[in-house]
Amino acid sequence: MTVPVFLAEPVDLARPEFVFGGPEGRHAAAVRRLRAGERLDLTDGAGSVAECVVIEAGRDSLRVQVLRRHEVPVPSPRLVVVQGLPKGDRGELAVEMMTEAGVDVIVPWAAARCVTQWKGERAAKALARWRSTAREAGKQSRRFRLPEVTGLASTAGVAALLSAAALGVVLHEEAASPLSGLPLPAGGDIVVVVGPEGGVSQEEIAAFREAKAVPALLGPTVLRTSTAGVVAAAVLQTRSGRW
């Protein structure tokens, strides 16, 4: 059976033995019902891992002993996906799948053709849902470095990301070059832009080209915005040697 992963505070991970409580400890004890002698891995979500065993199980906490510690290095090259805001709950679906596929940074983007708009209180709630989805998907997929979900980016902000990247790519159905054929950098950031349901506008394409981005074709079929990011991630993970 796969060893479950939970988030813990860095100060606890440094101790040889401690009581694992709070919401995560309560979930481990009351929902997962871990018992004495069972294994669990605890992480701070930033690469530090403590491999633990349960010494004693309470109603809403566990006393655990650390068996071994290790650090998970930062992947290279880093994979950053700029996601045009999808409609409905497809944003959370996209975040969940990209987290499982190993994307390092997810950037929500307010593209010109987005049907969904993040404004005011709605923006804060939507961003919180994306971050919660990334956190839960990261634990489920046993990621010890959780993806960063940034604040909402404008088109100018995305152009700045592309300009600073080792490789910037805009997925576009009319591009001549396939994503699978682009030369990849050995390090730095690979930034991939995924447009919303309405696609990327010509003005946005022009701004991204000026920022050194390369338009690329993902494949012969047109994918939903919520699935294009995870498919692109799979291609790049394989070709970069990360998988």
Side-chain angles (χ1 to χ4, degrees):
M1 185 175 177
T2 302
V3 176
V5 173
F6 300 95
L7 295 174
E9 295 298 325
V11 65
D12 287 333
L13 298 182
R15 295 171 176 160
E17 183 180 310
F18 62 95
V19 173
F20 178 43
E24 290 283 293
R26 187 177 306 112
H27 184 78
V31 179
R32 294 298 298 267
R33 301 184 65 81
L34 295 181
R35 294 297 178 257
E38 293 190 283
R39 281 267 293 107
L40 69 161
D41 288 340
L42 302 180
T43 180
D44 62 356
S48 295
V49 185
E51 299 174 8
C52 302
V53 64
V54 178
I55 300 173
E56 181 182 351
R59 288 180 56 187
D60 56 4
S61 65
L62 303 171
R63 177 165 288 280
V64 301
Q65 179 183 13
V66 176
L67 303 176
R68 189 173 79 93
R69 296 183 183 84
H70 66 275
E71 292 285 330
V72 175
V74 177
S76 184
R78 285 202 323 164
L79 183 54
V80 180
V81 175
V82 176
Q83 175 67 62
L85 300 180
K87 293 185 292 186
D89 61 359
R90 289 192 173 275
E92 287 97 298
L93 174 63
V95 170
E96 180 179 64
M97 292 191 296
M98 287 191 287
T99 299
E100 292 174 0
V103 172
D104 301 299
V105 183
I106 299 169
V107 182
W109 169 39
R113 294 176 178 172
C114 284
V115 175
T116 297
Q117 298 292 323
W118 285 9
K119 294 182 179 179
E121 186 178 339
R122 179 179 182 179
K125 289 181 177 179
L127 182 57
R129 286 197 301 270
W130 279 37
R131 287 175 171 166
S132 175
T133 298
R135 184 171 61 251
E136 295 307 312
K139 291 190 295 181
Q140 185 276 328
S141 56
R142 291 184 53 78
R143 282 190 63 169
F144 299 123
R145 282 191 174 276
L146 299 182
E148 175 190 359
V149 180
T150 74
L152 183 65
S154 63
T155 296
V158 175
L161 279 177
L162 291 167
S163 182
L167 173 65
V169 179
V170 182
L171 300 182
H172 198 270
E173 66 274 10
E174 296 179 3
S177 302
L179 180 65
S180 59
L182 295 181
L184 302 185
D189 286 354
I190 299 175
V191 178
V192 180
V193 178
V194 179
E197 284 87 355
V200 182
S201 71
Q202 291 303 312
E203 292 78 12
E204 289 165 338
I205 286 285
F208 296 158
R209 279 184 181 274
E210 190 174 343
K212 304 187 306 181
V214 179
L217 183 66
L218 192 52
T221 59
V222 177
L223 300 178
R224 286 184 180 270
T225 183
S226 53
T227 53
V230 69
V231 173
V235 171
L236 294 169
Q237 293 271 45
T238 304
R239 292 196 57 233
S240 67
R242 286 182 42 164
W243 281 4

